[in-house]
Amino acid sequence: ALPNGQNNPQQCPYGLYAEQLSGTAFTIPRSHNLRTWLYRIHPSVQHSKMSPSTIGGMGRAAGEPERAFQVDPNQMRWQPLHIPTKEERP
């Protein structure tokens, strides 16, 4: 799907979406960045809500009877802060 001589086409072929995945901190010099481009059928933010697996095993140490912690794989974001109206202001 990637045209010759291009690492990020402006128009992705086959109706794909390009997403960049970075594996380094933002404080690293640009020349040392480790990143790659992913080509997806749907943008990652478009996934539906995930539910716990019936198989289990994720987040569990060997011999541990139940999960030590719960991981929520669903997309999370900060809700915008409430801006008080004139009446609500002190």
Side-chain angles (χ1 to χ4, degrees), residues 12 22 53 55-57 71 74 78:
C12 294
S22 176
S53 171
I55 299 171
V71 178
N74 296 305
W78 292 98

Side-chain angles (χ1 to χ4, degrees), residues 3-76:
N4 288 332
Q6 293 185 5
N7 64 356
N8 181 27
Q10 291 181 356
Q11 296 282 332
C12 294
Y14 311 113
L16 297 173
Y17 294 88
E19 293 185 359
Q20 188 177 41
L21 177 67
S22 176
T24 52
F26 69 93
T27 56
I28 299 293
R30 186 174 290 178
S31 61
H32 292 76
N33 272 346
L34 300 174
R35 60 182 179 249
T36 188
W37 287 95
L38 304 173
Y39 295 91
R40 300 174 175 260
I41 296 173
H42 298 288
S44 60
V45 297
Q46 193 179 16
H47 67 77
S48 59
K49 187 170 181 172
M50 296 182 185
S51 58
S53 171
T54 58
I55 299 171
M58 294 294 289
R60 203 184 310 187
E64 192 175 14
E66 57 185 62
R67 294 179 186 216
F69 55 88
Q70 293 293 326
V71 178
D72 186 1
N74 296 305
Q75 181 180 345
M76 293 182 264

